[in-house]
PDB file of all heavy atoms in Angstrom:
ATOM      1  N   ALA A  76      22.244  19.766   3.152  1.00 91.00           N
ATOM      2  CA  ALA A  76      21.521  20.595   2.237  1.00 91.00           C
ATOM      3  C   ALA A  76      21.395  19.944   0.831  1.00 91.00           C
ATOM      4  O   ALA A  76      20.323  20.018   0.217  1.00 91.00           O
ATOM      5  CB  ALA A  76      22.208  21.953   2.105  1.00 91.00           C
ATOM      6  N   SER A  77      22.434  19.262   0.419  1.00 87.00           N
ATOM      7  CA  SER A  77      22.401  18.663  -0.922  1.00 87.00           C
ATOM      8  C   SER A  77      21.540  17.426  -1.017  1.00 87.00           C
ATOM      9  O   SER A  77      20.935  17.170  -2.009  1.00 87.00           O
ATOM     10  CB  SER A  77      23.809  18.379  -1.421  1.00 87.00           C
ATOM     11  OG  SER A  77      24.393  17.305  -0.733  1.00 87.00           O
ATOM     12  N   THR A  78      21.429  16.697   0.041  1.00 79.00           N
ATOM     13  CA  THR A  78      20.711  15.428  -0.004  1.00 79.00           C
ATOM     14  C   THR A  78      19.334  15.605   0.655  1.00 79.00           C
ATOM     15  O   THR A  78      18.504  14.695   0.539  1.00 79.00           O
ATOM     16  CB  THR A  78      21.420  14.243   0.707  1.00 79.00           C
ATOM     17  OG1 THR A  78      21.723  14.701   2.006  1.00 79.00           O
ATOM     18  CG2 THR A  78      22.665  13.899  -0.021  1.00 79.00           C
ATOM     19  N   GLY A  79      19.107  16.666   1.318  1.00 69.00           N
ATOM     20  CA  GLY A  79      17.880  16.838   2.061  1.00 69.00           C
ATOM     21  C   GLY A  79      16.855  17.772   1.395  1.00 69.00           C
ATOM     22  O   GLY A  79      16.025  18.345   2.078  1.00 69.00           O
ATOM     23  N   ALA A  80      17.003  17.886   0.082  1.00 59.00           N
ATOM     24  CA  ALA A  80      16.113  18.765  -0.656  1.00 59.00           C
ATOM     25  C   ALA A  80      14.660  18.415  -0.360  1.00 59.00           C
ATOM     26  O   ALA A  80      13.782  19.266  -0.319  1.00 59.00           O
ATOM     27  CB  ALA A  80      16.334  18.641  -2.170  1.00 59.00           C
ATOM     28  N   SER A  81      14.381  17.095  -0.083  1.00 59.00           N
ATOM     29  CA  SER A  81      13.043  16.703   0.212  1.00 59.00           C
ATOM     30  C   SER A  81      12.638  17.013   1.647  1.00 59.00           C
ATOM     31  O   SER A  81      11.468  16.837   2.045  1.00 59.00           O
ATOM     32  CB  SER A  81      12.953  15.180   0.017  1.00 59.00           C
ATOM     33  OG  SER A  81      14.047  14.553   0.658  1.00 59.00           O
ATOM     34  N   GLY A  82      13.560  17.539   2.442  1.00 79.00           N
ATOM     35  CA  GLY A  82      13.207  18.011   3.743  1.00 79.00           C
ATOM     36  C   GLY A  82      13.406  16.998   4.869  1.00 79.00           C
ATOM     37  O   GLY A  82      13.447  15.822   4.725  1.00 79.00           O
ATOM     38  N   TYR A  83      13.590  17.569   6.037  1.00 90.00           N
ATOM     39  CA  TYR A  83      13.744  16.805   7.250  1.00 90.00           C
ATOM     40  C   TYR A  83      12.573  17.037   8.172  1.00 90.00           C
ATOM     41  O   TYR A  83      12.120  18.159   8.291  1.00 90.00           O
ATOM     42  CB  TYR A  83      15.103  17.143   7.942  1.00 90.00           C
ATOM     43  CG  TYR A  83      16.262  16.874   7.131  1.00 90.00           C
ATOM     44  CD1 TYR A  83      16.974  17.926   6.483  1.00 90.00           C
ATOM     45  CD2 TYR A  83      16.772  15.586   6.953  1.00 90.00           C
ATOM     46  CE1 TYR A  83      18.106  17.689   5.744  1.00 90.00           C
ATOM     47  CE2 TYR A  83      17.845  15.342   6.166  1.00 90.00           C
ATOM     48  CZ  TYR A  83      18.539  16.405   5.585  1.00 90.00           C
ATOM     49  OH  TYR A  83      19.677  16.157   4.815  1.00 90.00           O
ATOM     50  N   GLU A  84      12.131  16.021   8.869  1.00 92.00           N
ATOM     51  CA  GLU A  84      11.103  16.124   9.839  1.00 92.00           C
ATOM     52  C   GLU A  84      11.732  16.682  11.137  1.00 92.00           C
ATOM     53  O   GLU A  84      11.179  17.617  11.769  1.00 92.00           O
ATOM     54  CB  GLU A  84      10.541  14.709  10.156  1.00 92.00           C
ATOM     55  CG  GLU A  84       9.399  14.663  11.021  1.00 92.00           C
ATOM     56  CD  GLU A  84       8.130  15.204  10.410  1.00 92.00           C
ATOM     57  OE1 GLU A  84       7.999  15.181   9.212  1.00 92.00           O
ATOM     58  OE2 GLU A  84       7.303  15.631  11.197  1.00 92.00           O
ATOM     59  N   GLN A  85      12.920  16.187  11.502  1.00 95.00           N
ATOM     60  CA  GLN A  85      13.658  16.587  12.698  1.00 95.00           C
ATOM     61  C   GLN A  85      15.098  16.392  12.559  1.00 95.00           C
ATOM     62  O   GLN A  85      15.477  15.366  11.923  1.00 95.00           O
ATOM     63  CB  GLN A  85      13.176  15.797  13.893  1.00 95.00           C
ATOM     64  CG  GLN A  85      11.905  16.174  14.543  1.00 95.00           C
ATOM     65  CD  GLN A  85      11.664  15.344  15.817  1.00 95.00           C
ATOM     66  OE1 GLN A  85      11.822  14.159  15.784  1.00 95.00           O
ATOM     67  NE2 GLN A  85      11.392  15.973  16.911  1.00 95.00           N
ATOM     68  N   ILE A  86      15.932  17.251  13.080  1.00 96.00           N
ATOM     69  CA  ILE A  86      17.353  16.982  13.229  1.00 96.00           C
ATOM     70  C   ILE A  86      17.692  17.139  14.707  1.00 96.00           C
ATOM     71  O   ILE A  86      17.626  18.261  15.223  1.00 96.00           O
ATOM     72  CB  ILE A  86      18.205  17.944  12.377  1.00 96.00           C
ATOM     73  CG1 ILE A  86      17.823  17.859  10.898  1.00 96.00           C
ATOM     74  CG2 ILE A  86      19.714  17.657  12.548  1.00 96.00           C
ATOM     75  CD1 ILE A  86      18.591  18.865   9.975  1.00 96.00           C
TER      76      ILE A  86
END
Side-chain angles (χ1 to χ4, degrees):
S77 69
T78 53
S81 46
Y83 299 104
E84 186 71 26
Q85 280 186 311
I86 302 175

